[in-house]
Amino acid sequence: MSSSLITHITDSSFDADVLQSSTPVLLDFWAEWCGPCRQIAPTLEELAAAYQGKLAIKKINVDENRDVPAKFGIRGIPTLILFKDGQQVATKVGASNKAQLQAFIDGALS
């Protein structure tokens, strides 16, 4: 589940990697054991390539990082939160297909 275009972040790197990013960030809250998380991983890699330069896709493992998921009230995974200029602008919970994810991203970025 690793791609050169998708960065894995931690609780300690969240502020620098997400809130202070000059590019909008789609943050994927996931875990190794989560089937739907693994299901959307290839789609997120495709989207990372398609939106390169316009959107950064990053992942945070909820089992290894507890503070950030707690801060955003993450109860189900996968949860995708789109941040723009350090602000949470959109949230999507659950697995989605590529068209649904593109619509979610495009709506949040416009």
Side-chain angles (χ1 to χ4, degrees):
M1 284 180 63
S2 187
S3 159
S4 61
L5 297 176
I6 296 179
T7 311
H8 290 260
I9 69 159
T10 63
D11 283 338
S12 60
S13 71
F14 172 76
D15 285 356
D17 287 339
V18 177
L19 299 183
Q20 297 167 13
S21 174
S22 58
T23 306
V25 173
L26 180 66
L27 184 57
D28 175 22
F29 292 83
W30 73 287
E32 288 284 345
W33 50 264
C34 169
C37 298
R38 289 194 310 271
Q39 179 186 344
I40 68 167
T43 302
L44 290 177
E45 293 198 25
E46 289 176 31
L47 294 172
Y51 287 90
Q52 192 169 5
K54 297 181 217 147
L55 174 75
I57 298 181
K58 302 184 185 226
K59 294 174 154 296
I60 186 163
N61 185 314
V62 299
D63 288 336
E64 297 169 1
N65 301 278
R66 304 273 181 184
D67 295 343
V68 171
K71 180 178 177 180
F72 290 97
I74 303 302
R75 295 180 181 203
I77 54 172
T79 293
L80 302 170
I81 299 180
L82 201 143
F83 294 86
K84 194 172 176 183
D85 300 320
Q87 299 295 313
Q88 177 180 348
V89 295
T91 303
K92 187 163 192 54
V93 179
S96 303
N97 65 34
K98 186 175 180 180
Q100 291 168 323
L101 288 173
Q102 280 181 302
F104 167 73
I105 292 167
D106 291 342
L109 290 179
S110 61

